[in-house]
C-alpha cells in the first residue's frame, strides 16, 4: 500500500482561490509553487519601461499580481507576513516542471472544463507517478475532469473544494471518483483535518456537491421570496443574518463579497445540470440580476453591487439597491418589532422558532425561506449525501451557519413543520415522513454523551474522530470531577484533567478563581497534569469588570482587594504547580484571560487566537 506524504505542493492558478490556498498551505508550514499563465502581450507600462515578453518581470506579472492580492487581503490570508517566503511564484510556460517536485498538485483555474483538462494534460507530462492531484472546482463533475488520463493519474485524482477565504471557512469538500484510491481518500481526509485544520465532508460527484447545492438553492429562494413578499435588500439582510444564526453579512452582503458573477455562474450551472430536479426553476434568477450583470454591479470587486459606498458632504454612506427602480437608496434601518422581541432569547433554537412561526410580515418571509431550505435538504438524500450529518456540517462549515438544515428541523419541531406543510398543501419530504411514522420526534438524539442521527430507518452514532475531546460529551458521561456556577474540572482521560470556564463570555469571577484553586489542589493529588480550555466562543474576555464596578460603587474595597489577591495567587499557583499546566486558548484571551496563559507551562494556541 502506498504511503502518502505532503511535504511540498504546487498550486495551479493564482486567482482569488489559488493564491489563498497557497497562503493557507504556507500557514501550516507547507512550501508551495504558485503557477499561472505567462502574458501573451506587454502592457503599456511595460512597453514604456522597455521590457520584452521574455523579461522575468513580465513572465510572472500575472502570478505576482494574484499573489500580491492574497498578501493584501483583508482579513489577512496569512497568519504572519514572514510566511510569504514559503510560496514561490512561477508560470506554466517556464516552470511547469516544478510540479515534478510536488507531492500534491492542486488546480484552481477558471471554471471551464476544457481549460482544466488542457492544463492537466501538460501536468501529466511532468508529474511523478504517485503524486496526488486534485481540482478545486466548485461544480464541474470530477470524473469528467479525469476522463482519459493515465491509470496512475486517475487513481491519485480527486476533488478538494475549499471555501473562500480558505483560512477562515472551515469546510473542505473531498470528492473522489470511482477510480480514486480509497487509501488516498482516507489520507486526504486526515490531512485536511489534522494539518489544514478543516472540517472535511466526503461528497458524491453530483452538481456543485453539497454546500453550494444547498446554499445556492437557499440564496436563490431568498431572492424569490423577497420579491413575492415585497421586502427590500436591507430588510432581507436584517432577517437572514444573526437572527437566524447566520453571519452578519447575511444574504446580500455575502453576495457582494462572493461576487455576483460567481453566484450567477453557480446558479446557472445548477439550472443546466439538473433537468430532473423538481425545484429546478428556483435556480432561474430574476431579471434584475441580469441587469446588474450588464451594469457590472458585481459587488466588492467592482465597487458596487447590492450595496454601494458613496461620498457625501459629511463623509460617506452605504446605500442599498432598490431592485425595482434599479437605483441606490440611502440606508434606512428596517424596524421589525419581532426582532426586538426575540433578540434577548439566549437559545438560538428557541429564537428561530419564535421568528419563523410568527404571522407578521417578517414571519411569513422567514417561513417561506426556511421551510423551503429544510424541504430541499431533506429531499436531496440520498442524491447528494447518504446522511444528514454531512449536509449539516457542510452548511455550518462552508456558509458559517450555526445550525445545519436538520438541526433547524429539530429546533422548529419536525412534527410542527410537517403539519404546516400539509396545511399549505405542500409536499412533505419522505425522510421527515419516515421519521414521524417510526414514532420519532427529531433527526438527532443524544445518548450518554454521544450524538446519534436519523438514517432513514434507525439512528446511527456520529463517527468519533480519534484524538478529538468534546467536553460536552464528557460531562454528559459524568466525567465532571467538581464544578460550580463559573467553572468545571473534567476528567479527560490519561490522568489529565481539564479546567473549563463557563461564565458569560468566560469572564473571570470569584467562582472561576475558586475553581482554579480547587483544580490545582485536585490535580496535585490525583492527576498527572492540567489543561485549561473550553468550547465557548472565546477562551476568556478577562476579568468580570461588572462585578468589580458593582463592588466599587458600594465601597466594597476589601472585597476588590481580596479578588485581586485571589487572582494573583491563582496565577502564581499555575506558574509553580507541581503538575504541568497547558492552556489551549482560542479566539480572544483578553486581560485576565491573557494573564492566565502567561503563567502556564505551555500554551497550545489555536491559529485564530
Amino acid at each position: 500500500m502506498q504511503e502518502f506524504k505532503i511535504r511540498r505542493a504546487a498550486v495551479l492558478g493564482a486567482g482569488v482561490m489559488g493564491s489563498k490556498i497557497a497562503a493557507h498551505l504556507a500557514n501550516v508550514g507547507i512550501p508551495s509553487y504558485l503557477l499561472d499563465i505567462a502574458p501573451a502581450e506587454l502592457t503599456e507600462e511595460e512597453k514604456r519601461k522597455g521590457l520584452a515578453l521574455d523579461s522575468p518581470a513580465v513572465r510572472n506579472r500575472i502570478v505576482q499580481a494574484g499573489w500580491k492580492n492574497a498578501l493584501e487581503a483583508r482579513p489577512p490570508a496569512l497568519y504572519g507576513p514572514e510566511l510569504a517566503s514559503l510560496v514561490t511564484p512561477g508560470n506554466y510556460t517556464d516552470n511547469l516542471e516544478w510540479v515534478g517536485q510536488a507531492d500534491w498538485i492542486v488546480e484552481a483555474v477558471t471554471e471551464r472544463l476544457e481549460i482544466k483538462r488542457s492544463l492537466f494534460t501538460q501536468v501529466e507530462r511532468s508529474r511523478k507517478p504517485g503524486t496526488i492531484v486534485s481540482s478545486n472546482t466548485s461544480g464541474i463533475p470530477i470524473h469528467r475532469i479525469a476522463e482519459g488520463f493515465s491509470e496512475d493519474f486517475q487513481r491519485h485524482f480527486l476533488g478538494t473544494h475549499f471555501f473562500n477565504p480558505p483560512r477562515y471557512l472551515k469546510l473542505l469538500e473531498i470528492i473522489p471518483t470511482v477510480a480514486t484510491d480509497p487509501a488516498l481518500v482516507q489520507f486526504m481526509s486526515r490531512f485536511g483535518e489534522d494539518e489544514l485544520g478543516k472540517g472535511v465532508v466526503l461528497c458524491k460527484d453530483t452538481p456543485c456537491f453539497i454546500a453550494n447545492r444547498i446554499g445556492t438553492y437557499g440564496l436563490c429562494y431568498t431572492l424569490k421570496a423577497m420579491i413575492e413578499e415585497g421586502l427590500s435588500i436591507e430588510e432581507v439582510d436584517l432577517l437572514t443574518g444573526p437572527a437566524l444564526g447566520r453571519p452578519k453579512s447575511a444574504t446580500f452582503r455575502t453576495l457582494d463579497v462572493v461576487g455576483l458573477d460567481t453566484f450567477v455562474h453557480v446558479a446557472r450551472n445548477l439550472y443546466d445540470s439538473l433537468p430532473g430536479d423538481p425545484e429546478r426553476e428556483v435556480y432561474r434568477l430574476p431579471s434584475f440580476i441580469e441587469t446588474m450583470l450588464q451594469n457590472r454591479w458585481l459587488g466588492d470587486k467592482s465597487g458596487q453591487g447590492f450595496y454601494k459606498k458613496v461620498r457625501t458632504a459629511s463623509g460617506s454612506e452605504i446605500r442599498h439597491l432598490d431592485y425595482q427602480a434599479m437605483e441606490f437608496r440611502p440606508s434606512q434601518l428596517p424596524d421589525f418589532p419581532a426582532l426586538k422581541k426575540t433578540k434577548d432569547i439566549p437559545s438560538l433554537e428557541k429564537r428561530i422558532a419564535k421568528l419563523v412561526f410568527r404571522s407578521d410580515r417578517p414571519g411569513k418571509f422567514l417561513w417561506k425561506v426556511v421551510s423551503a431550505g429544510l424541504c430541499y435538504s431533506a429531499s436531496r438524500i440520498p442524491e447528494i449525501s447518504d446522511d444528514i450529518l454531512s449536509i449539516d456540517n457542510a452548511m455550518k462549515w462552508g456558509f458559517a451557519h450555526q445550525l445545519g438544515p436538520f438541526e433547524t428541523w429539530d429546533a422548529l419541531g419536525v412534527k410542527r413543520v410537517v403539519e404546516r406543510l400539509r396545511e399549505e398543501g405542500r409536499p412533505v419530504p419522505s425522510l421527515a415522513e419516515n421519521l414521524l411514522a417510526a414514532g420519532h420526534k427529531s433527526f438527532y438524539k443524544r445518548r450518554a454523551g454521544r450524538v446519534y442521527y436519523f438514517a432513514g430507518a434507525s439512528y446511527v452514532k456520529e463517527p468519533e474522530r480519534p484524538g478529538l475531546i468534546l467536553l460536552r460529551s464528557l460531562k454528559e458521561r459524568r466525567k465532571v470531577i467538581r464544578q460550580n456556577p463559573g467553572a468545571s474540572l473534567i476528567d479527560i482521560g490519561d490522568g489529565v484533567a481539564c479546567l473549563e470556564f463557563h461564565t458569560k463570555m468566560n469572564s473571570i469571577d470569584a467562582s472561576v478563581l475558586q475553581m482554579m484553586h480547587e483544580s490545582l489542589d485536585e490535580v496535585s493529588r490525583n492527576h498527572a497534569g492540567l489543561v485549561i480550555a473550553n468550547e465557548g466562543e472565546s477562551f476568556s474576555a478577562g476579568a468580570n469588570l461588572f462585578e468589580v464596578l458593582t463592588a466599587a460603587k458600594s465601597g466594597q474595597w476589601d472585597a476588590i482587594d481580596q479578588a485581586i489577591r485571589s487572582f494573583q495567587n491563582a496565577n502564581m499557583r499555575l506558574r509553580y504547580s507541581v503538575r504541568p499546566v497547558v492552556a489551549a486558548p482560542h479566539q480572544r484571551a483578553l486581560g485576565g484571560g491573557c494573564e492566565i496563559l502567561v503563567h502556564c507551562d505551555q500554551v497550545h494556541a489555536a491559529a485564530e487566537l
Side-chain angles (χ1 to χ4, degrees):
M1 181 181 293
Q2 180 179 349
E3 182 180 353
F4 296 100
K5 288 184 180 179
I6 296 177
R7 292 154 295 200
R8 181 179 294 275
V11 181
L12 310 181
V16 172
M17 284 304 299
S19 60
K20 290 182 180 177
I21 290 172
H24 193 58
L25 290 172
N27 287 337
V28 299
I30 297 175
S32 65
Y33 299 114
L34 178 62
L35 306 178
D36 211 311
I37 60 174
E41 57 185 26
L42 296 172
T43 65
E44 290 302 318
E45 182 180 358
E46 288 168 342
K47 291 177 183 178
R48 287 194 299 270
K49 291 180 178 180
L51 297 174
L53 275 177
D54 59 357
S55 300
V58 176
R59 304 295 283 174
N60 285 342
R61 181 220 310 153
I62 293 174
V63 70
Q64 290 287 7
W67 182 231
K68 183 173 182 286
N69 288 337
L71 295 178
E72 295 176 352
R74 292 293 177 270
L78 288 169
Y79 292 163
E82 69 281 358
L83 295 171
S85 62
L86 290 174
V87 177
T88 304
N91 65 80
Y92 303 143
T93 305
D94 303 324
N95 311 119
L96 194 61
E97 73 275 5
W98 289 353
V99 302
Q101 303 172 36
D103 303 302
W104 177 24
I105 303 166
V106 54
E107 167 270 311
V109 301
T110 189
E111 285 289 273
R112 290 176 57 184
L113 177 62
E114 64 273 18
I115 291 177
K116 293 179 186 291
R117 286 183 54 80
S118 174
L119 180 58
F120 278 130
T121 298
Q122 300 175 59
V123 167
E124 178 79 314
R125 302 188 192 109
S126 300
R127 70 177 279 271
K128 62 180 183 286
T131 301
I132 303 165
V133 188
S134 72
S135 174
N136 184 62
T137 178
S138 60
I140 297 176
I142 301 299
H143 70 275
R144 292 190 62 192
I145 299 175
E147 283 175 353
F149 288 105
S150 68
E151 180 184 349
D152 184 82
F153 183 99
Q154 294 195 42
R155 195 155 45 87
H156 294 90
F157 182 77
L158 72 171
T160 52
H161 182 213
F162 291 82
F163 276 66
N164 189 32
R167 172 180 171 181
Y168 299 98
L169 284 181
K170 187 176 180 179
L171 180 61
L172 173 61
E173 291 182 318
I174 290 183
I175 313 99
T177 71
V178 293
T180 306
D181 184 348
L184 173 60
V185 178
Q186 293 181 3
F187 168 79
M188 289 302 293
S189 298
R190 291 195 306 271
F191 177 81
E193 292 176 345
D194 297 343
E195 302 299 326
L196 300 180
K198 294 297 176 185
V200 172
V201 172
L202 289 179
C203 301
K204 295 184 177 183
D205 195 6
T206 54
C208 291
F209 318 126
I210 295 178
N212 273 344
R213 177 76 175 273
I214 301 298
T216 303
Y217 175 87
L219 290 169
C220 290
Y221 200 95
T222 298
L223 285 168
K224 177 177 181 291
M226 174 183 73
I227 294 171
E228 291 174 350
E229 296 298 323
L231 269 65
S232 70
I233 297 290
E234 282 193 307
E235 287 175 328
V236 169
D237 271 359
L238 187 63
L239 292 172
T240 58
L244 285 185
R246 298 178 183 180
K248 292 180 181 179
S249 56
T251 298
F252 294 106
R253 291 190 186 279
T254 295
L255 288 176
D256 275 354
V257 172
V258 170
L260 186 68
D261 52 344
T262 301
F263 166 64
V264 170
H265 172 80
V266 175
R268 287 175 175 170
N269 178 40
L270 284 166
Y271 184 85
D272 293 340
S273 303
L274 299 170
D277 190 329
E279 293 289 296
R280 183 192 188 202
E281 288 303 312
V282 172
Y283 293 111
R284 188 188 293 275
L285 297 170
S287 59
F288 80 86
I289 297 292
E290 186 61 42
T291 303
M292 291 179 69
L293 282 177
Q294 294 171 0
N295 293 345
R296 298 295 294 171
W297 294 352
L298 305 180
D300 291 356
K301 68 176 72 176
S302 64
Q304 60 187 26
F306 294 101
Y307 292 92
K308 178 182 181 180
K309 187 175 183 179
V310 299
R311 292 184 178 180
T312 64
S314 58
S316 64
E317 69 178 22
I318 303 295
R319 295 182 179 176
H320 71 278
L321 178 67
D322 178 340
Y323 59 88
Q324 294 175 319
M326 293 307 289
E327 296 177 354
F328 288 92
R329 309 285 192 195
S331 294
Q332 294 179 333
L333 188 65
D335 182 22
F336 287 138
L339 293 184
K340 295 177 182 177
K341 291 178 180 178
T342 59
K343 71 175 184 178
D344 293 328
I345 298 176
S347 166
L348 174 60
E349 290 84 353
K350 293 179 180 178
R351 186 165 73 241
I352 291 177
K354 283 281 187 182
L355 287 169
V356 168
F357 288 118
R358 292 180 65 90
S359 59
D360 55 8
R361 189 160 159 258
K364 291 178 181 178
F365 167 78
L366 288 175
W367 165 252
K368 275 190 173 183
V369 170
V370 172
S371 64
L374 299 187
C375 290
Y376 193 68
S377 299
S379 300
R380 299 281 65 79
I381 290 179
E383 178 197 346
I384 65 173
S385 174
D386 290 325
D387 62 87
I388 67 173
L389 190 64
S390 294
I391 293 179
D392 274 354
N393 285 339
M395 292 308 297
K396 288 189 291 185
W397 295 339
F399 282 79
H401 292 184
Q402 291 184 44
L403 297 177
F406 295 95
E407 291 170 326
T408 304
W409 270 99
D410 286 354
L412 299 182
V414 179
K415 183 179 179 181
R416 189 177 183 186
V417 171
V418 167
E419 287 175 347
R420 182 159 175 180
L421 292 173
R422 288 171 176 161
E423 288 172 6
E424 296 175 354
R426 294 165 60 187
V428 177
S430 58
L431 189 67
E433 294 272 26
N434 294 342
L435 183 139
L436 296 177
H440 303 302
K441 298 180 180 179
S442 61
F443 282 104
Y444 289 95
K445 290 183 178 181
R446 296 188 70 89
R447 300 173 186 160
R450 306 293 187 190
V451 175
Y452 294 77
Y453 61 89
F454 186 65
S458 59
Y459 286 84
V460 175
K461 186 167 70 172
E462 179 181 355
E464 295 182 35
R465 277 183 54 197
L468 178 65
I469 297 173
L470 298 174
L471 297 181
R472 177 183 176 184
S473 175
L474 290 172
K475 288 191 286 187
E476 291 177 353
R477 287 152 55 194
R478 300 185 179 182
K479 297 294 184 178
V480 176
I481 301 168
R482 58 183 66 216
Q483 65 180 353
N484 65 27
S488 298
L489 184 66
I490 305 164
D491 184 351
I492 60 175
D494 296 324
V496 180
C498 177
L499 172 59
E500 174 202 32
F501 306 158
H502 42 70
T503 53
K504 185 176 182 180
M505 298 181 70
N506 288 329
S507 60
I508 301 163
D509 62 10
S511 63
V512 170
L513 294 178
Q514 178 186 348
M515 188 53 62
M516 287 176 68
H517 285 287
E518 292 183 10
S519 297
L520 289 164
D521 290 338
E522 169 69 26
V523 168
S524 67
R525 292 191 299 264
N526 301 315
H527 291 78
L530 176 68
V531 173
I532 304 178
N534 60 70
E535 295 170 351
E537 184 177 337
S538 294
F539 176 76
S540 175
N544 187 334
L545 298 182
F546 179 78
E547 197 175 72
V548 176
L549 178 62
T550 301
K553 283 183 175 179
S554 58
Q556 298 179 39
W557 311 115
D558 289 343
I560 294 175
D561 180 69
Q562 179 58 38
I564 293 171
R565 290 177 183 276
S566 178
F567 185 45
Q568 175 68 3
N569 290 339
N571 282 329
M572 288 297 98
R573 291 195 64 191
L574 289 176
R575 179 66 187 87
Y576 296 108
S577 169
V578 297
R579 304 296 187 202
V581 180
V582 176
H586 63 285
Q587 292 300 325
R588 299 170 186 85
L590 309 178
C594 181
E595 289 185 64
I596 289 174
L597 301 184
V598 299
H599 288 88
C600 294
D601 292 299
Q602 191 161 356
V603 175
H604 191 79
E608 301 305 332
L609 176 65

